[in-house]
Amino acid sequence: DQGISTKNPDTGFFMKYTLAGAYDSNIALFVTQGEDRAKAYRQLAEILRCTRMSGDDLKTNCTFHYGLIHWLLANHIRSKLTTQFVGAYLTQVGLLQKLAGQVDLLFLFNGVVRAYHVHAVEWAKVIIEKQTLILRPLEILLKSPHLLSAWLSMAHAAGRWQKDQFNWQKNPVTLLRETYVFLNMEYSTEMPAAHCIWWHDEALLRRAESFYQSLEEKTTISSYELLEQCLTQIEPPMGFSSELWLQTRAAHQGYQAGFVLFKLLFVLAKQCGFYQLATQKNLEVTIPARLLDPEIQKEAQKILAPLPPASDHEIVAVSGGMFYSQETPESPAFVNVGDHFKVGDSLYIIEVMKMFNKVTATFSGRIDEILINNGQGEIVKQGQPLFKVTPDYPADTQCVKKQAEAQRNFNQTLLKRLL
């Protein structure tokens, strides 16, 4: 059974549905209306935000639509999208994910803790207290390229670059609250802990929000940029004693400690040129040339739809569907036990929605065992082992070491940029 739970944006009530299948065409329930296009888009974004799906091998394009809607809301809902746009947009998301997939979040967090520890042990403890509060949403965003794309569109006005320096225009505390809402992870005693902000993190976030609300009321400064400038002054402003101002500045530093990690997402966006795909005043969309390069598009496609993981001695199903070992019932099997295959040789066919996709070998080797009993018309799942094989060339351990070293260097450079 496939299930959907979503919220009506007008009434606020949750509705549950049962679907007959896992195809996107079955999910005709995401229909919304509004007085104008902007309101309709915002309502649709809200429906997608609150929707939870469950089921075996359930695959939809909901996160892609969530990202695309937020891109349109951030740029212009009447952007003139050409046939090239979707390919360019997906390529941009793929390039973003290429960088996000290299991030070692725990390494960066520990690096920030060590940097604060140099000044005082107590500062390091403050950041450690926020570990799950900050890292949980970051982990989710870094693992989902379309969610990360949607978030970067939603948060595009949260800060700005001045040369190589990123400066906040929005209070990171406010941005963190918006991020938990964006991910549909608001605090709830009725939801499993894995699906919402944890109670101790919620308490900490509320204390921070309460502090800044009181500070804004007392200083009458609503702009976070101006508030930060005010907090750099040693002399207390009107209405603050020297002692109270000293405590206020210390509290501000404590509440902001660790939020430098959220700059990471904007660093990744800048590095891959995420915001260069943008709508101009005439509503035409500027598409950077690199996003139309066939080779770069092909690379991005592999990043967004990677092959299932497998060991060096297995060939697994690239997708779910109906497995066929031969082209027709009268044709011989593509491969048999003991056969040697080369790169590009046909191995099997997967049928998905009446489309017969011939799968070819990406390396050379020998078939040791066929793991599918019935070669004609057996349903398989994505990632299911199909053949036991012996590759001609074992895994290149030197290549693996070089990749690990490149990842370490990448994260060390990121840490320097954050600090």
Side-chain angles (χ1 to χ4, degrees):
D1 290 339
Q2 316 298 338
I4 284 186
S5 174
T6 190
K7 186 171 72 172
N8 185 314
D10 293 323
T11 65
F13 292 113
F14 280 88
M15 299 171 288
K16 291 185 178 180
Y17 302 90
T18 299
L19 303 182
Y23 302 122
D24 288 336
S25 57
N26 292 117
I27 308 172
L29 304 168
F30 295 160
V31 179
T32 186
Q33 60 181 359
E35 297 171 359
D36 53 49
R37 183 178 292 193
K39 183 176 180 181
Y41 272 48
R42 287 193 294 269
Q43 284 192 348
L44 183 54
E46 177 65 7
I47 289 173
L48 290 172
R49 181 187 77 86
C50 296
T51 297
R52 297 187 185 275
M53 294 191 178
S54 61
D56 295 333
D57 294 328
L58 182 64
K59 296 186 183 300
T60 74
N61 287 328
C62 287
T63 54
F64 161 73
H65 291 302
Y66 197 46
L68 186 58
I69 288 169
H70 276 284
W71 187 92
L72 287 165
L73 287 170
N75 284 269
H76 201 290
I77 56 171
R78 297 188 183 275
S79 298
K80 298 176 182 178
L81 305 184
T82 64
T83 54
Q84 292 180 319
F85 172 78
V86 172
Y89 173 79
L90 288 172
T91 301
Q92 183 64 82
V93 176
L95 295 178
L96 178 65
Q97 182 59 22
K98 182 179 181 180
L99 295 177
Q102 299 179 59
V103 172
D104 186 337
L105 202 51
L106 192 57
F107 169 83
L108 297 178
F109 179 80
N110 290 333
V112 172
V113 171
R114 286 193 298 271
Y116 274 82
H117 190 276
V118 170
H119 299 288
V121 176
E122 292 304 318
W123 281 117
K125 291 181 178 178
V126 167
I127 299 178
I128 291 173
E129 185 182 357
K130 299 178 184 177
Q131 180 169 353
T132 55
L133 174 66
I134 294 176
L135 294 194
R136 285 186 70 214
L138 285 177
E139 286 173 349
I140 293 171
L141 291 171
L142 290 171
K143 287 179 181 178
S144 176
H146 291 296
L147 281 181
L148 179 54
S149 172
W151 186 91
L152 286 171
S153 295
M154 181 270 292
H156 72 287
R160 60 183 173 183
W161 288 95
Q162 292 179 327
K163 294 184 179 180
D164 286 334
Q165 182 68 34
F166 182 84
N167 299 314
W168 292 110
Q169 292 182 284
K170 175 180 287 187
N171 191 333
V173 169
T174 304
L175 181 61
L176 182 59
R177 171 63 75 189
E178 292 175 353
T179 300
Y180 271 100
V181 173
F182 169 85
L183 295 173
N184 196 21
M185 293 178 66
E186 301 100 313
Y187 180 69
S188 171
T189 57
E190 300 177 357
M191 292 294 295
H195 294 165
C196 64
I197 185 174
W198 292 345
W199 67 268
H200 55 87
D201 289 335
E202 173 69 13
L204 196 160
L205 187 54
R206 285 185 180 180
R207 288 201 302 271
E209 290 174 319
S210 177
F211 168 77
Y212 285 107
Q213 182 178 353
S214 299
L215 185 58
E216 182 179 326
E217 292 172 355
K218 193 168 182 64
T219 60
T220 68
I221 300 175
S222 58
S223 165
Y224 182 69
E225 281 187 294
L226 296 178
L227 185 63
E228 270 202 310
Q229 293 175 16
C230 179
L231 287 162
T232 60
Q233 301 173 7
I234 298 177
E235 292 296 320
M238 186 177 298
F240 288 83
S241 65
S242 296
E243 183 179 357
L244 178 59
W245 186 239
L246 185 65
Q247 293 173 348
T248 300
R249 294 180 69 213
H252 168 67
Q253 291 176 344
Y255 283 125
Q256 293 298 316
F259 280 114
V260 67
L261 285 163
F262 262 84
K263 292 184 180 181
L264 161 70
L265 304 181
F266 296 100
V267 171
L268 298 179
K270 184 179 182 182
Q271 193 163 335
C272 74
F274 179 83
Y275 293 115
Q276 291 176 7
L277 181 66
T279 302
Q280 304 306 310
K281 290 183 179 179
N282 62 0
L283 301 183
E284 301 283 349
V285 178
T286 299
I287 301 179
R290 70 178 186 281
L291 301 183
L292 300 176
D293 186 302
E295 290 300 317
I296 295 178
Q297 287 190 340
K298 188 175 180 180
E299 179 189 7
Q301 183 180 359
K302 289 181 179 179
I303 294 170
L304 293 177
L307 293 174
S311 72
D312 294 337
H313 297 278
E314 284 182 345
I315 292 177
V316 302
V318 295
S319 70
M322 196 73 75
F323 171 90
Y324 295 95
S325 63
Q326 56 209 87
E327 195 146 20
T328 67
E330 296 77 23
S331 303
F334 291 115
V335 290
N336 295 294
V337 174
D339 284 355
H340 183 271
F341 59 88
K342 305 184 298 296
V343 175
D345 284 353
S346 299
L347 298 177
Y348 62 95
I349 289 175
I350 284 285
E351 177 197 353
V352 182
M353 297 181 67
K354 303 304 179 183
M355 296 292 291
F356 292 83
N357 307 291
K358 190 178 293 185
V359 180
T360 58
T362 57
F363 61 93
S364 60
R366 184 185 71 247
I367 302 292
D368 295 330
E369 185 180 355
I370 298 175
L371 304 175
I372 302 297
N373 296 325
N374 178 13
Q376 284 296 97
E378 181 169 340
I379 296 177
V380 296
K381 295 182 178 181
Q382 184 182 39
Q384 178 178 336
L386 304 175
F387 306 100
K388 291 283 187 182
V389 300
T390 298
D392 288 344
Y393 305 100
D396 188 349
T397 54
Q398 286 298 114
C399 181
V400 173
K401 288 180 180 178
K402 287 181 180 179
Q403 289 176 350
E405 182 179 357
Q407 185 176 8
R408 282 195 298 272
N409 293 337
F410 175 77
N411 282 278
Q412 287 170 352
T413 302
L414 276 181
L415 184 60
K416 289 178 181 177
R417 294 194 68 179
L418 294 179
L419 298 176

